[in-house]
Amino acid sequence: MDTVVVNAGLLKEMFLSGAGNLEKHKEWINELNVFPVPDGDTGTNMSLTIMSAAKEVRSLENPGMDKLAKAISSGSLRGARGNSGVILSQLLRGFCKEISGSSELDIDVLARAFVRAKETAYKAVMKPKEGTILTVARGMAEKAAELAEEGTVVELDEFMKEVIAHGNHVLSQTPDMLPVLKEAGVVDSGGQGLMVVLQGAYEAFSGNPVELDMEAPAKTSQAKVPAAEISTADIKFGYCTEFMILLDPETGKTFTEADEQELKSFLMSIGDSLVVVSDDEIVKVHVHTNDPGIAIQKGLSYGALTRLKIDNMRIEHEEKLIKDAAKIADKKKSDPVEEKPEEPRKKYGFIAVSIGAGIDEIFRGLHVDCLISGGQTMNPSTEDMLEAIDKVNADNIFILPNNKNIILAAEQAAKLTADKKIVVIPSRSVPQGIAALISFMGEGELEDNQEAMLDAMGNVKTGQVTYAVRNTSIDGKTIHEGDFMGIDDHGIAAVGTELDDTMLELLDSMVDEDSELISIYYGDGVVEEDAQALLDRISEKYEDCDVELYSGNQPVYYYLLSVE
């Protein structure tokens, strides 16, 4: 091909093709998970992230480069979920920052965009680890800069081929950078996802775009709250008002931190439930107010508005009450409907990510106000967290992610909430979250409670038992597809062909002379009688420990357990 520049129309097609290729291969990328467990979610998280941007991009008709860049950047930023999705959104954001202001992209502009993408992503990660998607991005940035500086390549086709080829080469080297990848016999899944996106983009450049199915994926998480309990008279601010402010860098006016604080202060003076999210191109606003017109007028002082949405919450609530009442009547006609007045705003509230009906009940018993369905295979997004925060009527809200890959989304939601104090307790498992909640000290000071919850998590060893989805060798153990695996806080501690024996071997790695309590949560794949029989074996073997058994109903994992 003799194409030497990419215009906005072609870039749009390339981006959508890249998104389509990632969506097409997401399950394959999921299977590259280092641990051969049935819950790899890298491909899913990256796909959901890029699909959020793709929806905005596809809606644009004949966009200019600036408008296209804004759609890619803001869409991926809002849709980012999981660590891999967040890093992908930062790569796209950096790339788009560099191309904004250019009417066409040549080799020099693209090389600078690759470099800026890499720099933006590295800055977003507190402790970058080599052998990951970041390494692959850096390798391509270095190759692109080298080609642009040498000037020996003048056609974009050759430039793209060489950059992608080098990215694939760096990806192939990731097992040599991370021993855990080498032992598992896989390359880094995030890096593979990035290369899938770029290959899809190149296919469109070559005239063979990958088709993108824009059918919305099933929502992976949902805040669970009781049926409508608030009367419309108790809704202080009746209009849920949302809009986006489009910033125009050409005017030289930027949206500074002072501007953000001014906007937040103004909106808080006329409403509540405030969320203000901003980057270099857009400001997203959500507020509950009785004067949506005034809120919109204030937004106009910063730039043009788009995606305006005003909902009358009193009318919607009345409709929901009617629907809920009908459902309850159909289900339980003989039972009277108990009306509950809204409780006053509390000092403390709790949000927890949960993974099963039994676990849900345990969290409710520990006074969690709002549950978000999620976990390994369903990482909730920052937006899911914000929706849950909006539903909890408390001044201070503790969020328990209960999964290491959800902590980042929770922390981002905390930063975006203005009218409530959000504290993220970085629980990496359900048992850690339960331990943290048990240690909560009523009406004590926030800092004291935070410290107590963190200390409680530190005293809990956690484990889980699942099955292998492929043959591999990891943590010095040979694993065959279908084997049971016991995983503790440090890695795979037990492998076997018998479920109970694997569970006991896992416990052997966790229980020591200081252990006092063993808690076991059995999942969907275990019948109660079998769980009780295993409990008897464990109680007999560890007679110095109290052993408790609970129905967790969690998918994927036969057992979750904790040792304290």
Side-chain angles (χ1 to χ4, degrees), residues 211-224:
E211 183 178 354
L212 173 61
D213 181 3
M214 289 302 293
E215 288 295 323
K219 188 172 179 65
T220 57
S221 58
Q222 181 180 1
K224 292 184 179 179

Side-chain angles (χ1 to χ4, degrees), residues 32 62-63 118 130 232 252 269 275 316 336 351 416 421 425 506:
L32 293 175
N62 301 317
K118 176 263 298 183
E130 297 305 327
T232 57
S269 71
V275 177
E316 289 187 345
I351 296 170
L416 300 177
K421 172 69 175 177
I425 302 298
L506 171 62

Side-chain angles (χ1 to χ4, degrees), residues 216-294:
K219 188 172 179 65
T220 57
S221 58
Q222 181 180 1
K224 292 184 179 179
V225 293
E229 299 174 352
I230 305 171
S231 72
T232 57
D234 293 322
I235 297 178
K236 184 178 181 181
F237 298 104
Y239 295 94
C240 176
T241 306
E242 299 180 27
F243 55 85
M244 286 172 49
I245 305 170
L246 301 178
L247 304 176
D248 187 357
E250 293 183 0
T251 64
K253 183 179 179 180
T254 59
F255 189 75
T256 64
E257 290 185 11
D259 291 329
E260 183 172 342
Q261 289 305 315
E262 178 194 18
L263 178 59
K264 286 181 177 178
S265 297
F266 177 83
L267 294 175
M268 282 301 298
S269 71
I270 64 168
D272 64 7
S273 298
L274 176 66
V275 177
V276 176
V277 186
S278 66
D279 62 14
D280 293 341
E281 294 85 20
I282 61 111
V283 181
K284 183 179 180 181
V285 175
H286 169 282
V287 64
H288 291 177
T289 179
N290 288 326
D291 300 294
I294 296 176

